[in-house]
Amino acid sequence: MKAEQLFHDIMSLGEGPVWDKQTMTLHWVDIIKGRIWQHQFDTQKTVHRDLGQSVGMCAVAQSGGLVAALVKSIVLLRDGQVLTLVDEVELSLPDNRFNDGKCDAAGRLLLGTMNTKGKTGQGALYSLEKYKGLRMLLDGISISNGLGWSPDNQFLYYVDTPGGILWRFDYDLDRGELSNRIPLIDYSGEEGMFDGLCVDAQGCLWVAHWGGYQVSRWDPQTGKKLQSIALPAPYVTSCCLGGPDLRTMFITTAHNEDEKVRRDY
């Protein structure tokens, strides 16, 4: 497989692609610029919305609109309005912000935080559930990143980027609880570090390599690398499956405010 450039708009820190099959729209964020982007495939139009602060992720809301994680808050964007769902998260950690997140099959939003100054162990993984508010699932996280579930929802796969391990948890979909943390893949010897991920219909993991010029596919049964897709940029941030038949992979990258990377790639 060969990756092709979808359009020519440049992201500073493109992240978190998510496919909306109802509207045939790809959504993603530019974290540093505080923008949510949309590419509508029926019209081939690409637009963005500026939110005025860092935006770590977005997800499609069943009731319409998008849920987005800002620096310290989670908001619902719908009909031109911004409704705050959760505010003032981790106020005692002023250098922390929300990062990657994703919805489980029951509609919960799992999302994590990270320290923007590079301090380790300052972040956490949270769950936001209707009528229950925000609750912490894990603490001591450095850079909360890729999330994905096995097709039967029995397992959650999770990346805390600097740690060098992709973790697997048993996942209770009814209760939204994690248990039995297992180190599934040691990526410390790989080119780059693991970032965002998605899971395909066969249950295999597709993982973006930050600093590694690729997206790779892994067998969760054996922990073995199966293949990779080369990217013409070092900072590969995330991926998702979409398109009319869900057979197209969308991949986000970044220059991360590195002017040499921006110039060379």
Side-chain angles (χ1 to χ4, degrees):
M1 289 180 284
K2 178 177 172 57
E4 299 176 347
Q5 192 169 335
L6 181 60
F7 57 89
H8 295 285
D9 294 279
I10 300 297
M11 308 294 115
S12 179
L13 180 48
E15 256 284 11
V18 58
W19 176 254
D20 182 355
K21 65 181 181 180
Q22 301 298 324
T23 62
M24 296 283 289
T25 302
L26 181 70
H27 306 270
W28 71 100
V29 300
D30 186 341
I31 296 178
I32 292 175
K33 298 299 183 184
R35 291 173 177 169
I36 294 181
W37 286 81
Q38 297 174 318
H39 182 80
Q40 220 290 326
F41 279 77
D42 287 345
T43 63
Q44 292 295 304
K45 287 183 62 177
T46 305
V47 298
H48 69 263
R49 176 173 180 174
D50 289 297
L51 296 177
Q53 59 177 287
S54 167
V55 53
M57 54 74 61
C58 67
V60 178
Q62 188 177 35
S63 58
L66 295 173
V67 173
L70 305 182
V71 177
K72 298 286 188 184
S73 63
I74 304 169
V75 299
L76 174 64
L77 308 171
R78 187 169 59 197
D79 300 327
Q81 303 296 311
V82 180
L83 173 66
T84 299
L85 304 177
V86 178
D87 201 7
E88 299 183 340
V89 177
E90 297 185 349
L91 285 184
S92 63
L93 298 167
D95 293 327
N96 275 22
R97 66 162 173 82
F98 276 117
N99 199 45
D100 205 355
K102 198 168 287 185
C103 291
D104 73 6
R108 296 180 194 89
L109 176 63
L110 271 66
L111 74 172
T113 57
M114 60 172 283
N115 183 271
T116 58
K117 304 297 185 183
K119 293 183 180 179
T120 59
Q122 300 293 300
L125 179 67
Y126 295 93
S127 174
L128 178 61
E129 187 172 355
K130 195 173 184 179
Y131 306 126
K132 292 188 178 180
L134 192 71
R135 62 190 177 95
M136 185 185 294
L137 299 178
L138 298 169
D139 60 5
I141 303 300
S142 294
I143 300 179
S144 186
N145 249 321
L147 290 159
W149 286 264
S150 59
D152 62 4
N153 296 302
Q154 183 178 351
F155 300 116
L156 169 71
Y157 306 110
Y158 179 59
V159 172
D160 178 2
T161 293
I165 298 292
L166 187 151
W167 300 93
R168 190 192 77 184
F169 294 85
D170 292 346
Y171 193 72
D172 186 330
L173 184 64
D174 292 332
R175 299 173 58 201
E177 299 288 349
L178 309 179
S179 61
N180 194 26
R181 180 173 180 163
I182 293 173
L184 186 65
I185 299 169
D186 181 346
Y187 56 85
S188 58
E190 285 289 313
E191 187 173 9
M193 296 184 292
F194 279 11
D195 199 326
L197 66 85
C198 68
V199 180
D200 65 24
Q202 294 178 325
C204 291
L205 283 65
W206 292 89
V207 189
H209 290 231
W210 177 266
Y213 298 84
Q214 65 184 292
V215 168
S216 59
R217 187 177 190 238
W218 298 76
D219 184 338
Q221 303 300 320
T222 64
K224 301 297 184 183
K225 188 176 184 178
L226 301 175
Q227 67 188 102
S228 64
I229 303 172
L231 273 296
Y235 297 135
V236 187
T237 56
S238 194
C239 56
C240 77
L241 290 159
D245 54 5
L246 303 180
R247 293 175 63 88
T248 301
M249 177 163 286
F250 299 106
I251 302 167
T252 49
T253 62
H255 60 70
N256 202 36
E257 303 291 89
D258 184 328
E259 287 306 314
K260 185 177 189 305
V261 170
R262 180 172 184 166
R263 183 178 65 250
D264 293 349
Y265 298 95

